[in-house]
Amino acid sequence: MNQETELNPSSRFFIIFSVMLSTIMQALDTTIANVALPHMQGTMGASQDQISWVLTSYIVASAIFMPLTGFLTARYGRRQILIISVTGFTLASMACGAAQSLNQIVLFRLLQGIFGASLIPLAQAVMLDIFPREKQGSAMATFGIGVMLGPILGPSLGGVLTEYYNWRWVFYINVPLGMIALFGLIRFVPETGLDKNRRFDLLGFSFLAIGIGSLQMMLDRGSSLNWFASGEVVIECLLALLAFYLFIAHIFTHKSPFIEPALFKDRNLSAGLMFIFVVGVVLLASMALLPPFMQNLMGYPVIDTGYLLAPRGLGTMAAMMIVGRLTTRVDARYLILIGLLAISGSLWQMTHFTTNTSGADLVQTGVLQGFGFGFVFVPLSTVTFATLAPRYRTEGTSMYSLIRNIGSSIGISVVTTFLAQSIQRNHAAFSSLISPENHALTDAVNQGILSPTPTGLSLLDGMVNGQAVTLAYLQDFRLMMFVTLAAIPFLLFMQSPHKVRKPTTARA
């Protein structure tokens, strides 16, 4: 069925509106609950380690069940899976808001992750299907607004809802969105063809699920358990490596594997997966670093932090509106290059931040970085699937979303660990400068600014620690800049969608 020619403009509009609502709803929940954790902790009477399971349960469940999207769609139809996913996600959100204990909210967040796992890949597959290839750049621009703005605006919206209402509203906000999206999906989204002969590869799925779950647990728990000094982290790492090895061996030897190896023979898809991994690393890692930097070192309250971070989303939206029109005229690889350079430039500017950096500078770097992400995400989504056969589209979008999420988890873990290590190194380096030979320090003591008393030494240590922490954040920003620049050579592995033949028009 060639949906782009059979759908009238009004039906296409309502399909876009419905799948975009489901995308925004799921994307928001990746970050909106973060700022509400301290309030949940007080309500539930939980420790810091216990309340972190509110985030961990959602991330792990979503990652494990996302690869199931392709099989479920083939067997039961895309429309039906979308309806079930939105219904389950909305009900689970209501249950999270009404939870009365830690066990309840962790269970309901687990269900949220299970039902929400398919929403973004299915929404992307629908958007690719209802537009002809020459208009898929505009389709990905529209889709990207939901995917990129969700994580960016999540902390700001979560802070407002928590500050002026209650932490429960970070979950209740999904209810009206889910109900409207559900109505549109039932009324307007057409069903896809079914493959009743497709069998479920339980062993392959089990290997992949164990590998993803172990990896996510290792990344989430590693920083708090001192990584490989903990037996738990070592076990999770070994289990992840073994499970991924068995999964790869299995898909190349099984006659009907859970994920077909032919999927990765598409050069653009393989290169696109590497790119989206980097996008995931930098996107959420920078969002994880900026709020504590602004609140703990610069003294901004949580509401002002949210307001200053919000313009980043405006930069993303502006870029997507521009780049959606350019993808049909300009080689997508050049657009991606512009985006990567803009992100790198913003991160370079962030390496010069101080505790006295103005709000205008924070907004300017945020807008530039958001603009860069917009220029990367839209053409990257377009070129990644430009040469992929439609029958692989749902599996391809599932892998695309999964790799982005794994990149985000790894990015957050790496920058968090690197931050802690850098603080220790910087503190030791600065402390070594405190000696009688330091004339500036001697002058400060002689002038009465500092005193060799316990109070004076405590003040000096606080100054040293503040400088060590500030420098550590700047070193993290520099690390992400290098990661972004390292992705540029992968552009050589991609083919321009304007120079390849249209993929086989098999039924999606």
Side-chain angles (χ1 to χ4, degrees):
M1 178 174 61
N2 197 353
Q3 293 179 5
E4 64 266 17
T5 58
E6 293 182 7
L7 290 172
N8 59 59
S10 61
S11 295
R12 183 180 284 117
F13 169 80
F14 284 112
I15 291 174
I16 294 171
F17 182 74
S18 302
V19 298
M20 282 301 300
L21 273 182
S22 62
T23 298
I24 291 172
M25 182 173 64
Q26 199 274 349
L28 272 175
D29 265 63
T30 59
T31 57
I32 195 173
N34 295 31
V35 295
L37 284 184
H39 297 266
M40 295 183 203
Q41 184 177 353
T43 302
M44 304 296 178
S47 65
Q48 181 67 39
D49 189 57
Q50 289 172 329
I51 202 65
S52 67
W53 283 98
V54 173
L55 301 179
T56 304
S57 57
Y58 179 84
I59 293 171
V60 172
S62 179
I64 289 176
F65 283 86
M66 192 174 291
L68 269 177
T69 304
F71 168 78
L72 293 175
T73 300
R75 285 294 300 268
Y76 304 106
R78 185 185 295 159
R79 176 177 176 270
Q80 185 170 341
I81 298 302
L82 264 172
I83 291 172
I84 293 173
S85 297
V86 171
T87 302
F89 191 87
T90 305
L91 293 175
S93 298
M94 292 176 59
C96 285
Q100 299 299 313
S101 68
L102 179 65
N103 290 337
Q104 288 180 8
I105 196 170
V106 169
L107 173 62
F108 297 141
R109 282 286 280 176
L110 195 70
L111 293 175
Q112 250 194 330
I114 292 172
F115 284 109
S118 299
L119 290 179
I120 287 182
L122 286 181
Q124 187 174 19
V126 169
M127 295 289 285
L128 288 169
D129 272 0
I130 64 176
F131 284 91
R133 195 181 70 167
E134 60 271 16
K135 294 183 179 180
Q136 286 182 355
S138 299
M140 289 300 96
T142 305
F143 171 76
I145 290 175
V147 174
M148 302 295 285
L149 289 188
I152 290 173
L153 297 183
S156 305
L157 181 59
V160 170
L161 291 173
T162 303
E163 182 74 17
Y164 294 111
Y165 296 95
N166 188 285
W167 66 262
R168 299 182 185 276
W169 280 96
V170 303
F171 300 112
Y172 286 148
I173 194 175
N174 290 328
V175 177
L177 297 178
M179 293 175 66
I180 297 172
L182 185 61
F183 173 79
L185 294 174
I186 294 174
R187 176 67 178 82
F188 296 103
V189 174
E191 189 56 280
T192 54
L194 305 181
D195 182 6
K196 294 293 186 180
N197 295 322
R198 181 164 179 176
R199 292 190 169 189
F200 179 58
D201 178 15
L202 177 60
L203 186 59
F205 171 71
S206 300
F207 287 147
L208 184 59
I210 293 172
I212 293 173
S214 301
L215 176 63
Q216 291 284 0
M217 288 292 295
M218 181 189 76
L219 295 172
D220 186 74
R221 303 273 291 165
S223 58
S224 61
L225 297 177
N226 197 20
W227 290 101
F228 296 106
S230 165
E232 176 190 330
V233 174
V234 171
I235 292 173
E236 288 163 352
C237 178
L238 294 176
L239 193 58
L241 291 174
L242 177 61
F244 282 131
Y245 168 78
L246 293 174
F247 172 73
I248 293 172
H250 177 79
I251 64 173
F252 282 102
T253 55
H254 196 271
K255 62 179 181 180
S256 299
F258 180 67
I259 295 178
E260 296 185 48
L263 178 72
F264 303 101
K265 291 182 179 179
D266 187 279
R267 195 169 86 178
N268 277 19
L269 177 69
S270 297
L273 293 178
M274 290 185 283
F275 258 108
I276 200 62
F277 175 84
V278 175
V279 171
V281 167
V282 179
L283 174 63
L284 289 193
S286 60
M287 291 303 298
L289 289 174
L290 275 174
F293 179 82
M294 294 169 65
Q295 294 173 38
N296 299 335
L297 295 178
M298 302 182 74
Y300 283 104
V302 63
I303 294 298
D304 290 349
T305 299
Y307 289 152
L308 289 172
L309 292 178
R312 175 187 301 255
L314 298 179
T316 301
M317 186 178 298
M320 288 181 172
M321 291 178 179
I322 296 171
V323 80
R325 299 177 179 272
L326 292 178
T327 49
T328 57
R329 303 184 181 95
V330 182
D331 191 325
R333 294 171 296 182
Y334 296 141
L335 299 177
I336 296 172
L337 177 61
I338 292 172
L340 291 174
L341 292 176
I343 296 170
S344 301
S346 69
L347 290 168
W348 178 79
Q349 291 178 335
M350 291 165 67
T351 63
H352 295 83
F353 278 178
T354 69
T355 54
N356 297 318
T357 297
S358 67
D361 288 335
L362 292 170
V363 170
Q364 185 266 323
T365 55
V367 170
L368 178 60
Q369 192 170 117
F371 190 86
F373 279 119
F375 254 76
V376 170
F377 188 85
V378 175
L380 178 58
S381 299
T382 304
V383 75
T384 297
F385 301 103
T387 57
L388 187 66
R391 71 188 187 93
Y392 291 127
R393 189 165 286 161
T394 303
E395 284 90 347
T397 55
S398 300
M399 292 299 300
Y400 193 75
S401 297
L402 176 63
I403 295 299
R404 184 183 68 245
N405 290 348
I406 290 177
S408 297
S409 298
I410 291 176
I412 291 173
S413 296
V414 168
V415 298
T416 302
T417 302
F418 187 70
L419 179 68
Q421 294 176 347
S422 297
I423 291 173
Q424 294 178 352
R425 288 195 299 266
N426 296 340
H427 193 282
F430 291 152
S431 297
S432 66
L433 300 176
I434 300 176
S435 66
E437 288 76 24
N438 189 320
H439 298 295
L441 184 61
T442 303
D443 291 340
V445 173
N446 293 334
Q447 296 173 18
I449 299 174
L450 291 174
S451 61
T453 64
T455 302
L457 294 175
S458 177
L459 176 63
L460 181 60
D461 182 68
M463 295 170 60
V464 169
N465 191 63
Q467 293 299 314
V469 173
T470 302
L471 180 59
Y473 275 101
L474 306 188
Q475 290 166 332
D476 255 2
F477 296 145
R478 184 180 61 187
L479 172 65
M480 289 190 291
M481 180 188 71
F482 289 143
V483 170
T484 305
L485 291 173
I488 292 177
F490 289 117
L491 287 171
L492 300 175
F493 294 96
M494 304 187 95
Q495 291 178 290
S496 170
H498 305 299
K499 298 180 180 180
V500 296
R501 293 181 301 175
K502 189 174 182 178
T504 307
T505 56
R507 193 175 196 177

